[in-house]
């Protein structure tokens, strides 16, 4: 399957799945739904706390969130004082939700959302930090994307990669196979190879739940 075909499948999946994905961040749900979300998708919320910890302090900073989904990371960055946050995602359903939340939270002075594929949608602007969380799960060419993230980042990049060997993987694989959405998995070794090929030399690789998280320092 070509990179373009993979991209189209991922885009269609997240356009259709935007509401369900965003609901992971909502507190108001049944005890059963909370339990299922916590076991299967709890990492989605815990990754956000980790990103905030790693990027602290955010006051006065500029950040790009690649594959921003419904914008939850962007709002958290703005609430921590980031002066400009750009969220980019090629799934229109996700960006529609992000814009709705943005108006409700009154963060439009700090947060902007663009529908489009990274890197083109970033428009060549530079940022202090970049994040791509829950994103490389769906990326066929991570070396290219990380090289492009480097070009638009001055200080820090934070990226998550789902583990290949993890007890939840067989069911996750089945779920994605059924939905027709491609899924990419990583080992510590494959991540280190990708970082080397993308020219990222100074980084920490954190073993984080179902993922590995890479914090790269460019300065
Ligand atoms: C699982 S969601 C994660 C959203 C958000 N980062 C979060 O954790 O809440 C992955 C997102 O990446 C987006 N995506 C995947 N490949 C992309 C690309 N090449 N350019 C822009 N967005 C992309 C998908 O549309 C999807 O909304």
């Amino acid at each position: 399957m070509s990179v373009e075909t993979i991209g189209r499948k991922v885009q269609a999946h997240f356009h259709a799945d935007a509401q369900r994905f965003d609901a992971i961040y909502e507190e108001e749900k049944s005890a059963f739904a909370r339990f299922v979300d916590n076991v299967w998708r709890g990492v989605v919320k815990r990754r956000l706390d980790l990103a905030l910890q790693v990027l602290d302090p955010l006051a006065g900073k500029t950040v790009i969130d690649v594959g921003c989904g419904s914008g939850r990371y962007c709002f958290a960055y703005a609430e921590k004082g980031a002066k400009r946050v750009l969220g980019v995602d090629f799934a229109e359903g996700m960006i529609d939700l992000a814009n709705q939340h943005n108006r409700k939270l009154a963060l439009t002075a700090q947060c902007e959302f663009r529908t489009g594929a990274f890197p083109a949608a970033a428009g060549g602007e530079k940022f202090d930090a970049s994040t791509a969380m829950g994103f490389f799960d769906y990326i066929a060419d991570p070396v290219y994307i990380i090289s492009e993230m480097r070009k638009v980042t001055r200080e820090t990049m934070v990226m998550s990669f789902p583990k290949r060997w993890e007890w939840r993987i067989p069911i996750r694989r089945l779920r994605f196979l059924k939905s027709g959405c491609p899924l990419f998995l990583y080992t510590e070794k494959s991540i280190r190879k990708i970082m080397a090929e993308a020219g990222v030399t100074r980084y920490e690789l954190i073993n984080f739940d179902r993922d590995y998280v890479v914090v790269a320092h460019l300065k």
Side-chain angles (χ1 to χ4, degrees), residues 158-184:
V158 189
M159 303 161 273
S160 73
F161 299 84
K163 288 177 185 169
R164 171 158 300 157
W165 307 114
E166 214 274 337
W167 66 274
R168 285 160 284 200
I169 282 302
I171 297 200
R172 193 167 181 226
R173 264 192 199 276
L174 269 180
R175 213 162 47 80
F176 276 84
L177 201 68
K178 223 174 111 205
S179 74
C181 180
L183 178 67
F184 297 89

Side-chain angles (χ1 to χ4, degrees), residues 79-97:
E79 277 160 1
K80 291 279 179 192
K83 69 174 180 202
R84 167 158 172 71
V85 187
L86 176 65
V88 171
D89 200 295
F90 63 13
E92 214 177 328
M94 287 289 201
I95 295 294
D96 286 347
L97 274 179

Side-chain angles (χ1 to χ4, degrees), residues 10-11 14-15 21 25 44 47 65-70 72-73 88-91 94 116-118 132-135 138-139 145:
V10 172
Q11 186 180 25
F14 282 105
H15 173 64
F21 181 83
Y25 289 97
V44 171
R47 278 192 307 234
D65 190 31
V66 176
C68 65
S70 54
R72 300 290 185 152
Y73 280 67
V88 171
D89 200 295
F90 63 13
M94 287 289 201
F118 182 83
M133 304 300 270
F135 171 80
Y138 314 103
I139 294 300
I145 296 285

